[in-house]
Amino acid sequence: MSFSPGKVMSDRAAWCYTTMGCNSGVGRTTIIDSSLLDHLFPAVPWNSPHQEALAIFLLVPECCVALEARRIPSLALKFAEAVMGLSKGSSNILGEFGTILLFSFHTSYVLYSSVSQLKRILHFLNKSNRAINIESYLERRDNQRLGNSDFSDRPTFILKVRRQFLLEDTWHELSILEDSYLKIYLLVQFENEMPGYGDQGYLVEFFSEVFEKVVQPEYGMFMYCESTSPMWFPPKPSVEKNKYFLFGILYGLSISSRVTAYIPFPLAIFKKLLNKKPTLSDVKELSPFYLTCNYFIFQISWDSMDVDLIENGISTAVNSANKKDFVDKYVDYIFNKSVDDVFSEFRRGFYKVLDEQLVGIFEPEQLMEVAIGNANYDWNLCEKNAVYRGIYSPTHPTIKMFWEVFHELSLEDKKHFLVFLAGNDRIPVTGMEPWKIHPHYLPSEDLIPGADTCFHLLFLPIYSTKQKLKEKLLQAISHNRGFGRFVPIV
């Protein structure tokens, strides 16, 4: 007799239906629970060419979510194991509908899942190369655990700094901070300003300005092989090692605060944070020049130093037999041996803030985009998503002039406008779809446009001519750099 998963499931369903008629609500839930865990999941069709047979994978999440919340984690884990066992053909048949329902299912039980469960559940989506909004997912997890999505109800700690001593105060405050404060919501308070509160606009400005100062070559924390290359840790840093630990904390805080701030890190750092080995292509990202050099001996020049990759490397020739060994030792020196001490401190600080298991969900490219965003601009979508109130509308003459002027700006000026309006010119991993400009009326055309970075508010006067609007807009965005665009309270 041939085995039929469909027959088994049909028999189990009939048994469950008959038994439920004789039990109370609690008993019915237990029966459904047991039937799913013990009978249905082991019998699902992992390798079927028929879409109808695979429909069970679309129905089970809805059934699970309908059960008591306390049972969802164990059901979800079993279901994920079943989904991950699907053949490639069956997975393709399910298509995007499967991804959508799976993600809906995940967000329903995430409150009750441990990190290890969460990692296993999400593995299927990464495995199938389907895009997921991890930031939105983690935000829902955070909000549910806090019991309220309202920012004002979150437990917070306040980082107090003086603008004129920004780096000194930041390092000091982080060095005396208790570990428990690193797991709650961060606010920034500047001396003589915003007494008792802060907002996302200040966070964006704070992180952007601190990072901009720290990554400068003259500050001494990082090296640059070329002026346009990403930065890396120097073999012989000119700052104390503890600063890398504090910078790791700061970088972790920027991610946990959902601030997209550009730092010119290469992909290699995200590989190392995820315990993946950098390769020769990562050396190329740091400096194409170093790959064009012809190496004849096991000695390289790095950060103005001659380094033997093996004992007496200067006397050991590179040949076809040992070329691979040379490349391996070359990569290992640049990304591991030369920076072990300082990178270990950076990593230790980073994972003081973020959960290493949860971060392990990401691939290096995904983590990199979450941390520093991207430059995938869609200016037409930016116009389409604008939200108007009061006298302004898409057909208002000033608004029509504004968008004409905006689309005529150079790419650099458009990026300056983003800094002016949002605090930085990087697009978050969620894309520009949720990124909306809110134009508001100002009464006099003698004024230049203004902005509120927290809510993306653009304060725009009614200008009499397109030329005047352009002049005033360029004047406004040319002053978007530098710390302290917010007016201090004195």
Side-chain angles (χ1 to χ4, degrees):
M1 179 182 293
S2 62
F3 173 74
S4 171
K7 180 66 166 58
V8 171
M9 288 187 285
S10 176
D11 291 345
R12 294 298 179 189
W15 170 81
C16 187
Y17 180 81
T18 303
T19 310
M20 281 195 299
C22 307
N23 287 273
S24 64
V26 175
R28 290 170 188 165
T29 299
T30 303
I31 292 168
I32 295 173
D33 187 3
S34 174
S35 181
L36 288 170
L37 282 173
D38 301 333
H39 305 297
L40 181 59
F41 289 155
V44 291
W46 289 348
N47 185 18
S48 173
H50 304 294
Q51 187 172 351
E52 294 79 4
L54 295 170
I56 188 66
F57 286 96
L58 307 183
L59 297 175
V60 167
E62 300 305 310
C63 180
C64 290
V65 171
L67 297 178
E68 294 179 353
R70 63 183 176 84
R71 297 299 299 160
I72 288 179
S74 57
L75 292 169
L77 192 57
K78 284 290 185 182
F79 180 66
E81 289 174 350
V83 172
M84 289 170 63
L86 281 170
S87 66
K88 184 176 180 180
S90 296
S91 178
N92 290 337
I93 291 173
L94 270 179
E96 295 305 319
F97 291 106
T99 303
I100 293 168
L101 281 178
L102 280 167
F103 191 70
S104 173
F105 183 29
H106 297 156
T107 54
S108 300
Y109 73 77
V110 65
L111 173 61
Y112 308 96
S113 298
S114 68
V115 169
S116 59
Q117 286 176 320
L118 182 60
K119 185 173 180 179
R120 292 177 69 183
I121 302 300
L122 286 179
H123 177 71
F124 169 71
L125 292 179
N126 283 333
K127 175 184 174 185
S128 60
N129 294 318
R130 291 176 181 152
I132 59 173
N133 186 340
I134 298 179
E135 272 208 344
S136 174
Y137 182 79
L138 298 181
E139 183 171 12
R140 182 173 297 196
R141 176 188 174 110
D142 289 346
N143 290 340
Q144 286 180 302
R145 283 186 165 166
L146 290 166
N148 193 324
S149 61
D150 186 357
F151 144 82
S152 62
D153 291 337
R154 297 181 180 183
T156 62
F157 81 89
I158 298 174
L159 189 69
K160 297 181 180 180
V161 294
R162 296 166 294 176
R163 289 188 183 271
Q164 65 271 37
F165 300 105
L166 178 63
L167 288 184
E168 295 89 339
D169 287 357
T170 299
W171 299 141
H172 174 71
E173 290 296 318
L174 291 179
S175 67
I176 63 175
L177 200 63
E178 294 182 11
D179 289 355
S180 59
Y181 286 98
L182 299 175
K183 304 296 183 181
I184 59 180
Y185 198 81
L186 169 67
L187 296 178
V188 173
Q189 181 174 332
F190 301 109
E191 190 178 69
N192 298 324
E193 303 175 38
M194 336 173 280
Y197 68 90
D199 62 30
Q200 190 72 7
Y202 283 92
L203 275 178
V204 170
E205 187 184 22
F206 167 75
F207 281 113
S208 296
E209 190 67 16
V210 170
F211 290 155
E212 184 173 340
K213 291 178 181 294
V214 169
V215 304
Q216 295 303 315
E218 54 268 24
Y219 190 72
M221 279 192 74
F222 299 99
M223 60 171 280
Y224 294 80
C225 298
E226 300 167 21
S227 60
T228 58
S229 67
M231 67 186 192
W232 191 240
F233 300 92
K236 294 186 177 181
S238 57
V239 301
E240 57 270 28
K241 190 165 63 172
N242 186 55
K243 273 201 171 69
Y244 292 94
F245 169 67
L246 299 177
F247 185 71
I249 290 177
L250 195 67
Y251 200 40
L253 285 173
S254 72
I255 295 175
S256 67
S257 301
R258 296 186 177 85
V259 172
T260 303
Y262 179 66
I263 295 182
F265 270 138
L267 181 62
I269 194 168
F270 302 99
K271 288 183 177 181
K272 285 177 66 64
L273 285 170
L274 295 169
N275 296 316
K276 297 180 183 293
K277 290 184 178 181
T279 65
L280 195 60
S281 64
D282 294 300
V283 177
K284 183 178 181 180
E285 185 183 7
L286 281 184
S287 175
F289 167 77
Y290 281 93
L291 290 188
T292 62
C293 298
N294 292 318
Y295 292 101
F296 301 102
I297 55 176
F298 272 70
Q299 185 185 77
I300 64 170
S301 176
W302 185 251
D303 195 27
S304 304
M305 298 185 299
D306 291 330
V307 179
D308 281 358
L309 297 179
I310 60 175
E311 187 177 351
N312 198 26
I314 193 172
S315 302
T316 306
V318 177
N319 53 47
S320 57
N322 61 22
K323 183 178 181 180
K324 183 181 184 303
D325 185 44
F326 170 82
V327 170
D328 291 343
K329 285 182 167 55
Y330 182 26
V331 173
D332 183 56
Y333 174 79
I334 292 172
F335 292 113
N336 299 314
K337 287 184 177 179
S338 68
V339 298
D340 270 347
D341 287 347
V342 291
F343 178 80
S344 294
E345 287 297 292
F346 170 79
R347 178 190 175 90
R348 185 167 67 91
F350 185 79
Y351 285 123
K352 275 279 187 181
V353 181
L354 301 175
D355 187 290
E356 187 169 356
Q357 282 188 297
L358 194 56
V359 173
I361 292 169
F362 297 90
E363 292 298 317
E365 294 81 4
Q366 294 172 328
L367 182 57
M368 185 177 190
E369 188 171 1
V370 167
I372 68 174
N374 59 63
N376 299 327
Y377 305 113
D378 187 337
W379 307 118
N380 291 324
L381 183 62
C382 188
E383 177 181 358
K384 178 183 175 182
N385 284 347
V387 178
Y388 302 98
R389 289 186 178 88
I391 68 170
Y392 281 148
S393 70
T395 58
H396 190 283
T398 297
I399 295 299
K400 293 173 72 174
M401 280 196 302
F402 167 77
W403 287 115
E404 287 177 12
V405 168
F406 179 81
H407 289 301
E408 291 170 2
L409 294 177
S410 66
L411 176 60
E412 284 305 305
D413 282 337
K414 287 176 181 174
K415 290 165 67 174
H416 290 160
F417 175 80
L418 293 184
V419 176
F420 169 71
L421 188 69
N424 66 72
D425 61 6
R426 303 293 293 180
I427 304 304
V429 67
T430 49
M432 292 192 79
E433 182 62 44
W435 198 93
K436 303 179 189 301
I437 296 176
H438 299 257
H440 284 248
Y441 165 71
L442 277 182
S444 172
E445 72 170 350
D446 293 330
L447 300 172
I448 66 172
D452 183 324
T453 58
C454 185
F455 300 104
H456 297 176
L457 303 181
L458 173 64
F459 299 102
L460 188 66
I462 296 178
Y463 294 110
S464 55
T465 66
K466 179 178 174 181
Q467 183 59 33
K468 188 162 190 176
L469 189 155
K470 182 175 182 178
E471 290 174 0
K472 293 290 187 180
L473 181 62
L474 289 174
Q475 184 182 349
I477 67 177
S478 67
H479 292 90
N480 62 14
R481 302 300 296 172
F483 204 34
R485 291 195 300 109
F486 295 90
V487 179
I489 299 172
V490 294

